[in-house]
Each structure stands twice: as structure tokens, then as C-alpha cells.
Amino acid sequence: MSPAIHTHADENRLREAVCDIGRSIFERGLTAGSSGNISVRLEDGWLFTPTNVSLGRLDPARLSKLDLASRHVAGDAPSKESFLHRAMYEERPQAGAIVHLHATHSAAVSCIDGLDHDNCIPPFTAYYVMKIGRLPLIPYYRPGDPRLGDAIRGCACRHCAVLLANHGPVVSGTTLDAAVNAIEELEETAKLFLLLRNTPTRPLDERQIEELNAVFGPAGQSG
Ligand SMILES: [Zn+2]
């Protein structure tokens, strides 16, 4: 799939889209307070949601703009978690947008002991397999620790989504809509995982996953 590099002509539309989607995410309770951040790739850099601002109250004119060397060139200061996004963009040239949320059910799963670190949520549904695929668990580091970025770099070329332990998910997509749809699918599947914790389950088997990958392509190779 070709990279979703946005042109200058798209920038204003993307600024509005980031704010509209941020408001929708906040109003539906998918992240709280000033947590969560969104970024989109531009032809000449990136737009990031600013630090210490609720996703529910973003201003298109004040989004942070970084140039191709990751220098802050316009708008408010970027989210302190922007390095998580940059680590993922470095490994995923096809990524056009990244969303990170402290979504309740995904964050709850990220605190469970004994998860499979290579794939921490079972493949319960076809849409989860198609949008997320395998979900690695990134070990806990304190907020801002550069080792978090290093850990993301270590697996992001193979995965469009990662779950940060005791924290929340980081998900990329070829477009902003694709990234948001994928992180919402992840959050819903995390909810299923928690609902089913004490129930014998029947996730999709290897043959069923191979069939999905053959028909729709592996999720980790798209955005
Ligand atoms: Zn976070």
C-alpha cells in the first residue's frame, strides 16, 4: 500500500479532522482529562495534538506542527508523548496517522499479569484480526523514558498496534480514519477480553486467521 503523504492543500482539512475526531473520542469516554494524543503525517512534517489539552477542546489553529527533522515549528508545544508516535513513524513509512489513548478497557488489559507479550489479546473476531492482527505488549517504563520509544522501534515494523504495559495502546493507520477505527476495534476487543476472562472461549484458529490474511492482507503490513 502506498504511503498516505498529505499535501499542503490537505493541511487545513486535516487540522479540522483531528479536532473533530478528538472531540468524538473525548465525548464517548475513550480517553479522559488531557490524556490521549493524535498525529497525522504531512508532506512537510507532522501535526500533533498539543500537551496538556483535552482531546475534547482542540483548536485547529493551535495544533503543534513539527518539520521533517521533528523540530517544533508552529502552534502550541506538542504532546510529551509525541516521541511514541515518532518511534512508530520511523518504522512504518506507510503510516499516515497515529492515535494513542488511555482507553479504559485497553488500559485494564495492559495491567493483567501473565499476558502473552507477543500477542496480548486473543483473536476473538475477524474484524480485530483484520484491523489489529497480533498485538505485542511493550514493557512498562515511566512516562517520557526514551526506552519506550526504543521498545516500539523494536516491533513497529511488523505491527500496526502495540499495547504499553500499565498504560494504553498506540495504533497507526494509513489515514486518520483508519487509525481511529483500528484503535476503537482494539478497545472493543479489550472489553470482550475482560468480559470473557472467566468463560471458556474459542478464538479464531490458525486456519481461520490465515484465510483472513490471504483475503484481506495481514493487518501489520497496512498502516
Ligand atoms: Zn499515554
PDB file of all heavy atoms in Angstrom, residues 29-41:
ATOM      1  N   GLY A  29     -15.956   9.046  25.905  1.00  0.00           N
ATOM      2  CA  GLY A  29     -15.263   8.496  27.068  1.00  0.00           C
ATOM      3  C   GLY A  29     -14.129   7.551  26.727  1.00  0.00           C
ATOM      4  O   GLY A  29     -13.745   6.706  27.545  1.00  0.00           O
ATOM      5  N   LEU A  30     -13.568   7.682  25.495  1.00  0.00           N
ATOM      6  CA  LEU A  30     -12.473   6.773  25.116  1.00  0.00           C
ATOM      7  C   LEU A  30     -11.121   7.228  25.656  1.00  0.00           C
ATOM      8  O   LEU A  30     -10.135   6.491  25.569  1.00  0.00           O
ATOM      9  CB  LEU A  30     -12.422   6.640  23.590  1.00  0.00           C
ATOM     10  CG  LEU A  30     -13.597   5.860  23.002  1.00  0.00           C
ATOM     11  CD1 LEU A  30     -13.674   6.040  21.492  1.00  0.00           C
ATOM     12  CD2 LEU A  30     -13.470   4.378  23.353  1.00  0.00           C
ATOM     13  N   THR A  31     -11.042   8.437  26.185  1.00  0.00           N
ATOM     14  CA  THR A  31      -9.862   8.893  26.913  1.00  0.00           C
ATOM     15  C   THR A  31     -10.334  10.069  27.769  1.00  0.00           C
ATOM     16  O   THR A  31     -11.289  10.745  27.422  1.00  0.00           O
ATOM     17  CB  THR A  31      -8.690   9.247  25.964  1.00  0.00           C
ATOM     18  OG1 THR A  31      -7.441   9.058  26.619  1.00  0.00           O
ATOM     19  CG2 THR A  31      -8.791  10.677  25.445  1.00  0.00           C
ATOM     20  N   ALA A  32      -9.689  10.291  28.912  1.00  0.00           N
ATOM     21  CA  ALA A  32     -10.217  11.258  29.881  1.00  0.00           C
ATOM     22  C   ALA A  32      -9.201  12.353  30.179  1.00  0.00           C
ATOM     23  O   ALA A  32      -8.013  12.215  29.884  1.00  0.00           O
ATOM     24  CB  ALA A  32     -10.604  10.542  31.173  1.00  0.00           C
ATOM     25  N   GLY A  33      -9.665  13.430  30.789  1.00  0.00           N
ATOM     26  CA  GLY A  33      -8.781  14.530  31.169  1.00  0.00           C
ATOM     27  C   GLY A  33      -8.036  15.058  29.953  1.00  0.00           C
ATOM     28  O   GLY A  33      -8.622  15.281  28.902  1.00  0.00           O
ATOM     29  N   SER A  34      -6.726  15.259  30.111  1.00  0.00           N
ATOM     30  CA  SER A  34      -5.925  15.715  28.963  1.00  0.00           C
ATOM     31  C   SER A  34      -5.115  14.562  28.386  1.00  0.00           C
ATOM     32  O   SER A  34      -4.120  14.777  27.702  1.00  0.00           O
ATOM     33  CB  SER A  34      -4.997  16.863  29.382  1.00  0.00           C
ATOM     34  OG  SER A  34      -4.115  16.417  30.385  1.00  0.00           O
ATOM     35  N   SER A  35      -5.543  13.313  28.674  1.00  0.00           N
ATOM     36  CA  SER A  35      -4.805  12.153  28.151  1.00  0.00           C
ATOM     37  C   SER A  35      -5.156  11.919  26.687  1.00  0.00           C
ATOM     38  O   SER A  35      -6.157  12.410  26.187  1.00  0.00           O
ATOM     39  CB  SER A  35      -5.138  10.902  28.962  1.00  0.00           C
ATOM     40  OG  SER A  35      -6.468  10.492  28.687  1.00  0.00           O
ATOM     41  N   GLY A  36      -4.307  11.131  26.035  1.00  0.00           N
ATOM     42  CA  GLY A  36      -4.540  10.765  24.642  1.00  0.00           C
ATOM     43  C   GLY A  36      -3.931  11.780  23.704  1.00  0.00           C
ATOM     44  O   GLY A  36      -3.863  12.973  24.018  1.00  0.00           O
ATOM     45  N   ASN A  37      -3.435  11.305  22.576  1.00  0.00           N
ATOM     46  CA  ASN A  37      -2.873  12.217  21.580  1.00  0.00           C
ATOM     47  C   ASN A  37      -3.000  11.625  20.181  1.00  0.00           C
ATOM     48  O   ASN A  37      -3.075  10.411  20.001  1.00  0.00           O
ATOM     49  CB  ASN A  37      -1.417  12.597  21.909  1.00  0.00           C
ATOM     50  CG  ASN A  37      -0.693  11.550  22.696  1.00  0.00           C
ATOM     51  OD1 ASN A  37      -0.264  10.552  22.127  1.00  0.00           O
ATOM     52  ND2 ASN A  37      -0.595  11.728  24.015  1.00  0.00           N
ATOM     53  N   ILE A  38      -3.056  12.548  19.214  1.00  0.00           N
ATOM     54  CA  ILE A  38      -3.293  12.186  17.813  1.00  0.00           C
ATOM     55  C   ILE A  38      -2.239  12.885  16.971  1.00  0.00           C
ATOM     56  O   ILE A  38      -1.881  14.036  17.247  1.00  0.00           O
ATOM     57  CB  ILE A  38      -4.697  12.687  17.363  1.00  0.00           C
ATOM     58  CG1 ILE A  38      -5.802  12.090  18.237  1.00  0.00           C
ATOM     59  CG2 ILE A  38      -4.944  12.379  15.887  1.00  0.00           C
ATOM     60  CD1 ILE A  38      -7.171  12.719  17.993  1.00  0.00           C
ATOM     61  N   SER A  39      -1.746  12.208  15.931  1.00  0.00           N
ATOM     62  CA  SER A  39      -0.840  12.867  14.984  1.00  0.00           C
ATOM     63  C   SER A  39      -1.190  12.441  13.565  1.00  0.00           C
ATOM     64  O   SER A  39      -1.745  11.356  13.359  1.00  0.00           O
ATOM     65  CB  SER A  39       0.627  12.509  15.282  1.00  0.00           C
ATOM     66  OG  SER A  39       0.838  11.123  15.086  1.00  0.00           O
ATOM     67  N   VAL A  40      -0.887  13.323  12.610  1.00  0.00           N
ATOM     68  CA  VAL A  40      -1.038  12.985  11.190  1.00  0.00           C
ATOM     69  C   VAL A  40       0.212  13.421  10.448  1.00  0.00           C
ATOM     70  O   VAL A  40       0.837  14.430  10.779  1.00  0.00           O
ATOM     71  CB  VAL A  40      -2.289  13.635  10.540  1.00  0.00           C
ATOM     72  CG1 VAL A  40      -3.570  13.045  11.094  1.00  0.00           C
ATOM     73  CG2 VAL A  40      -2.279  15.139  10.712  1.00  0.00           C
ATOM     74  N   ARG A  41       0.565  12.626   9.431  1.00  0.00           N
ATOM     75  CA  ARG A  41       1.737  12.944   8.607  1.00  0.00           C
ATOM     76  C   ARG A  41       1.349  13.958   7.527  1.00  0.00           C
ATOM     77  O   ARG A  41       0.291  13.824   6.902  1.00  0.00           O
ATOM     78  CB  ARG A  41       2.242  11.661   7.935  1.00  0.00           C
ATOM     79  CG  ARG A  41       3.575  11.821   7.226  1.00  0.00           C
ATOM     80  CD  ARG A  41       3.838  10.634   6.320  1.00  0.00           C
ATOM     81  NE  ARG A  41       4.051   9.370   7.003  1.00  0.00           N
ATOM     82  CZ  ARG A  41       5.239   8.909   7.404  1.00  0.00           C
ATOM     83  NH1 ARG A  41       6.322   9.625   7.197  1.00  0.00           N
ATOM     84  NH2 ARG A  41       5.333   7.728   7.981  1.00  0.00           N
TER      85      ARG A  41
END
